[in-house]
Amino acid sequence: MDGSEPGDSVAAAVLSGAPIDLQARTVRIYRPVKTATQSGDWHGHHWRMDWDILHKGHRWENPLMGWQSSADMMQGTHLNFKSKEDAILFAQKQGYEYFVQEPNVRKFVPKAYANNFMHSPKKLKVVRTK
């Protein structure tokens, strides 16, 4: 498939001259989560696409420093999109295999500090300190 065949559409990776290894990669589309030390919405309204890690034969240990080296050029690369549909459309246009990881929905229970001191008609709780 060199892009000269008649048809509806041709993947952009075929026409771009990208290496075959990159064309056969799987991408993950997900909404990044905020870290545990942050509060609020954290501007988590965008979607991210990154490439899966290559498994065998693409990592080695640097003999001088002992660092991990990699031949994977897409390891630290990610793309941001405004919506999930934009990311899926881009992956389809590039000819990538993709999977979508849906975000977990946060359950928010409103609480108030004053509720700790409200009267409740139960037996008095005794707290022993010694």
Side-chain angles (χ1 to χ4, degrees):
M1 179 178 209
D2 63 355
S4 62
E5 293 84 11
D8 294 333
S9 65
V10 177
V14 173
L15 301 175
S16 69
I20 300 297
D21 294 340
L22 183 59
Q23 294 177 19
R25 298 286 293 270
T26 302
V27 294
R28 174 176 69 134
I29 299 171
Y30 65 101
R31 179 180 279 175
V33 297
K34 66 183 183 76
T35 62
T37 58
Q38 294 178 344
S39 60
D41 289 343
W42 181 71
H43 305 290
H45 307 292
H46 65 278
W47 287 77
R48 180 175 282 180
M49 182 177 83
D50 61 7
W51 283 260
D52 277 353
I53 297 172
L54 295 176
H55 297 290
K56 53 184 176 181
H58 295 280
R59 290 185 175 267
W60 64 90
E61 185 173 328
N62 189 324
L64 178 62
M65 298 297 288
W67 294 340
Q68 288 284 327
S69 298
S70 174
D72 187 6
M73 61 192 157
M74 301 305 288
Q75 182 178 357
T77 307
H78 63 267
L79 299 172
N80 291 328
F81 296 93
K82 290 185 179 180
S83 69
K84 175 174 64 170
E85 290 77 22
D86 290 342
I88 290 173
L89 184 65
F90 180 81
Q92 289 173 346
K93 193 173 189 180
Q94 295 296 321
Y96 297 141
E97 294 181 18
Y98 65 92
F99 65 95
V100 178
Q101 185 176 0
E102 295 292 337
N104 295 334
V105 179
R106 180 178 157 197
K107 296 177 184 174
F108 182 72
V109 179
K111 299 178 184 177
Y113 182 66
N115 292 343
N116 294 335
F117 304 102
M118 289 181 64
H119 173 71
S120 59
K122 295 189 278 183
K123 186 176 179 181
L124 184 62
K125 181 173 149 182
V126 177
V127 178
R128 296 188 180 168
T129 58
K130 288 190 178 186

